[in-house]
Amino acid sequence: MHHEHPPDYPLTVHDLTVAYQRKPVIWDVELNIPEGKLVGIVGPNGAGKSTLIKACLDLIPKTSGWAHIYGKPYRANRHLVGYVPQRESVDWDFPVSALDVVAMGTYRRLGWFRRVGRKQRAAAMEALEKVGIGSLAHRQISQLSGGQQQRVFLARALAQDARVYFMDEPFAAVDAATEQAIVTLLKELRERGRTCLVVHHDLATVGEYFDWTVLLNMRVVASGPTAEVFTDDNLRKTYGGRLALLDRAANALTRS
Amino acid sequence: MDWNFTDTWIVVTGALCALACALPGCFLVLRKMSMMGDAISHAVLPGLALAFLFTGSRESLPMFLGAAVTGVLTALFTQWINRFANVDRGAAMGVVFTTLFAIGLVLIVRAADHVDLDPGCVLYGSLEFSAPIVPGEVPRAAIVNGAVLLLNIAVIALLYKELRLSAFDPALADTLGFSSNLLHYLLMTLVAVTTVAAFESVGSIIVIAMLIVPAATAQLVTRRLLPMLLVASAVAVLSAVLGHLGALTVPPLFGFSGTTTSGMMAFAAGLIFTVAWLVSLMPRRRGAAEGHRPGDLAAGP
């Protein structure tokens, strides 16, 4: 089978397989993600959604295949990428303020050895205000609620000013206000021509939030405009016989 | 109590050593790798022993290099076993440092036949003997620990943001182009070098106390990194002062003639930690003034 991978796409993945302890987690992944889309990566637990993101960012080793960012290996185009890890991936008791964490987004342009200055702090503050928690800038991060912590992570991604964002479950366990803030932010990023790949759990909101959907269950079941690929048939292929989920999926379909 | 210039030097050397340990110790504690200090402080023993065996003297440079190399190797072996054998990091550390320590003990007994080397001194240190007998002379231990302290201050000042980033979020550090592995080994090298320098004055067992206890105490009382480093430094100095005062005054109360300052330093540090912990248990008045706590805010579904 021959696959085309346009080099001007923010993410192209070819024949990607990742295995933990020789047990494959994702198989033969082929993807072409066009620019300026909000992309939902959807699939059941253990489908390899986070694994896919981490493998694209060289955070875990690939067993075979490659993932390119704008036609080049991740290493070469790292500066174009912003990463929002899962909230649980860090220790929120760490002695830093919200502003400190957001300012970390500016480190790449700052480079080695140079200190965070007024310019970086101003950029961090602007990002915090954009996600609606500017007033909490000087709080130690453990004094923030889960939703506020998630907003800190998003503000940090904003401060990175990347062209393609990888977000690992930003909507997990956040309050309704935060969910709305994230959606607004995603739309703003799209207006600026940025591409966002978002690992997402809630089938009910896929149609509403994302204009491109990747259905994943170890292999890519379908990838394309949400209106085309988010179908009953594809969901059945992705989720198999998980009835409760399928019911929710059916609800989502009737709503959208 | 009898205080003379020797006592002053003991306190100064002890304080320099405790300070040198406390600074990288803060990053060990924040990375949840406290036991790495323990592991490295034990595992440097074969490096010291090999340096003795090869040079046949207690020359400091070869000893320093030997111990620093084995210290970094400990971090490297631990990482390998953890990653490639899929063994939990704590267990991997346990395997590596006990094995290296055992090799060190075997070598040191062997070396002791040829070189004048006291295993007790290696374990418990010889802070009392490091002080000069002649007034006006600066003890070597103070110079070595002072130099290491300066090195630690310099590295942390230069790479403050990088060390903080990689301790907080190593994955982000990697995606931003700051290799978290490189920073990990840099920190391990600092710990190894610091351990070797402290070895002589406080001994390998008490190094772990000075690496961890001041940092853990500081973590209880502050919520920012810079104050944490400063509080840890203050605790380190205070432990040295209280430790020596305690070594001079406490044992006579029980009818003993005296005890080791390094032992009392570790004990004093533990005492300070206990006080800090008790203080941190008391209800905070500042919290109420800050406005709502996270619990008051909508935490979501």
Side-chain angles (χ1 to χ4, degrees):
Chain A
M1 200 163 33
H2 184 71
H3 296 281
E4 289 281 337
H5 293 291
D8 55 339
Y9 273 31
L11 177 69
T12 47
V13 179
H14 175 66
D15 189 29
L16 178 66
T17 297
V18 178
Y20 285 127
Q21 307 296 317
R22 294 186 187 168
K23 239 177 103 183
V25 183
I26 51 175
W27 266 102
D28 292 342
V29 170
E30 292 286 339
L31 276 180
N32 283 327
I33 304 294
E35 195 169 40
K37 299 283 185 226
L38 296 183
V39 183
I41 301 176
V42 181
N45 285 328
K49 305 184 293 286
S50 293
T51 303
L52 172 63
I53 282 192
K54 286 181 184 155
C56 290
L57 302 182
D58 278 0
L59 291 171
I60 50 174
K62 300 176 187 68
T63 309
S64 73
W66 51 253
H68 283 178
I69 307 292
Y70 285 103
K72 283 185 188 160
Y74 170 73
R75 279 184 88 80
N77 269 341
R78 187 154 57 187
H79 58 284
L80 303 175
V81 179
Y83 175 46
V84 182
Q86 285 187 17
R87 187 150 49 86
E88 304 84 58
S89 69
V90 302
D91 171 19
W92 289 92
D93 284 326
F94 200 89
V96 284
S97 68
L99 192 73
D100 291 335
V101 174
V102 177
M104 287 175 184
T106 66
Y107 284 10
R108 183 185 357 245
R109 258 166 301 152
L110 206 52
W112 286 87
F113 306 117
R114 285 169 57 204
R115 284 157 187 284
V116 175
R118 194 178 300 159
K119 200 175 142 199
Q120 286 76 31
R121 267 193 291 272
M125 195 65 209
E126 197 187 323
L128 271 173
E129 267 156 16
K130 212 161 244 172
V131 298
I133 51 169
S135 59
L136 305 177
H138 299 290
R139 284 258 183 107
Q140 197 262 333
I141 51 175
S142 68
Q143 297 174 316
L144 303 171
S145 73
Q148 291 163 347
Q149 290 175 346
Q150 191 63 61
R151 292 192 205 193
V152 167
F153 261 12
L154 284 162
R156 185 174 71 180
L158 275 185
Q160 282 188 50
D161 196 22
R163 279 175 70 186
V164 49
Y165 289 96
F166 291 79
M167 305 183 179
D168 205 345
E169 304 225 19
F171 293 107
V174 298
D175 51 292
T178 300
E179 180 144 356
Q180 268 320 303
I182 299 174
V183 171
T184 311
L185 185 80
L186 288 175
K187 289 190 172 145
E188 195 189 313
L189 285 171
R190 178 177 54 190
E191 267 160 39
R192 279 154 60 186
R194 308 297 196 258
T195 310
C196 300
L197 289 103
V198 182
V199 172
H200 194 57
H201 247 129
D202 183 16
L203 291 175
T205 49
V206 171
E208 187 185 337
Y209 293 169
F210 301 109
D211 35 34
W212 192 278
T213 300
V214 176
L215 288 164
L216 187 75
N217 191 355
M218 285 185 70
R219 297 162 184 275
V220 174
V221 176
S223 167
T226 303
E228 288 172 26
V229 302
F230 197 64
T231 61
D232 199 13
D233 193 33
N234 278 338
L235 282 170
R236 210 171 287 279
K237 278 189 208 154
T238 314
Y239 285 87
R242 296 175 208 210
L243 289 171
L245 278 163
L246 279 179
D247 281 346
R248 283 169 67 193
N251 282 338
L253 285 170
T254 46
R255 266 177 45 177
S256 64
Chain B
M1 191 176 60
D2 217 6
W3 189 281
N4 61 29
F5 71 93
T6 310
D7 295 291
T8 308
W9 274 122
I10 288 174
V11 169
V12 168
T13 308
L16 286 172
C17 166
L19 276 170
C21 289
L23 292 176
C26 284
F27 289 96
L28 281 183
V29 167
L30 287 174
R31 285 169 163 256
K32 306 199 190 304
M33 302 188 64
S34 310
M35 294 318 282
M36 203 65 197
D38 199 7
I40 288 183
S41 63
H42 283 77
V44 294
L45 198 60
L48 290 176
L50 281 175
F52 283 137
L53 283 174
F54 279 118
T55 63
S57 72
R58 293 183 57 171
E59 201 79 51
S60 35
L61 191 66
M63 269 178 59
F64 209 81
L65 289 177
V69 168
T70 33
V72 176
L73 281 179
T74 310
L76 205 65
F77 290 156
T78 304
Q79 193 99 333
W80 284 352
I81 293 180
N82 174 227
R83 189 167 299 168
F84 299 117
N86 198 30
V87 171
D88 165 72
R89 193 166 66 184
M93 225 180 261
V95 170
V96 171
F97 94 79
T98 47
T99 307
L100 284 176
F101 188 59
I103 295 172
L105 279 179
V106 171
L107 286 173
I108 225 166
V109 173
R110 175 97 190 88
D113 292 342
H114 307 284
V115 195
D116 173 32
L117 181 66
D118 174 13
C121 178
V122 170
L123 289 179
Y124 311 122
S126 56
L127 196 49
E128 285 78 3
F129 304 117
S130 68
I133 300 153
V134 194
E137 190 189 327
V138 178
R140 208 180 61 86
I143 298 173
V144 172
N145 280 300
V148 171
L149 172 62
L150 286 179
L151 171 75
N152 287 350
I153 292 175
V155 171
I156 290 172
L158 204 61
L159 292 170
Y160 181 75
K161 90 171 189 296
E162 288 82 357
L163 286 168
R164 184 171 70 173
L165 171 67
S166 74
F168 175 62
D169 194 342
L172 181 80
D174 283 331
T175 61
L176 289 178
F178 302 95
S179 163
S180 59
N181 253 333
L182 185 72
L183 289 159
H184 170 75
Y185 288 117
L186 176 74
L187 183 65
M188 291 306 129
T189 309
L190 280 191
V191 172
V193 167
T194 309
T195 303
V196 182
F199 213 87
E200 192 176 32
S201 39
V202 298
S204 73
I205 288 176
I206 293 113
V207 168
I208 180 69
M210 286 303 130
L211 276 171
I212 304 310
V213 182
T217 310
Q219 205 183 18
L220 283 178
V221 298
T222 64
R223 285 173 175 280
R224 290 289 188 282
L225 185 53
L226 196 60
M228 181 175 166
L229 290 167
L230 296 175
V231 172
S233 303
V235 172
V237 173
L238 201 60
S239 308
V241 175
L242 291 179
H244 190 56
L245 284 175
L248 289 179
T249 57
V250 175
L253 298 179
F254 298 98
F256 301 113
S257 58
T259 185
T260 68
T261 294
S262 51
M264 280 307 274
M265 272 174 66
F267 180 64
L271 218 57
I272 297 171
F273 175 84
T274 311
V275 172
W277 175 61
L278 290 174
V279 169
S280 76
L281 284 183
M282 290 197 294
R284 287 193 172 203
R285 234 181 273 159
R286 250 186 69 224
E290 265 175 34
H292 34 227
R293 311 285 294 166
D296 303 336
L297 296 154

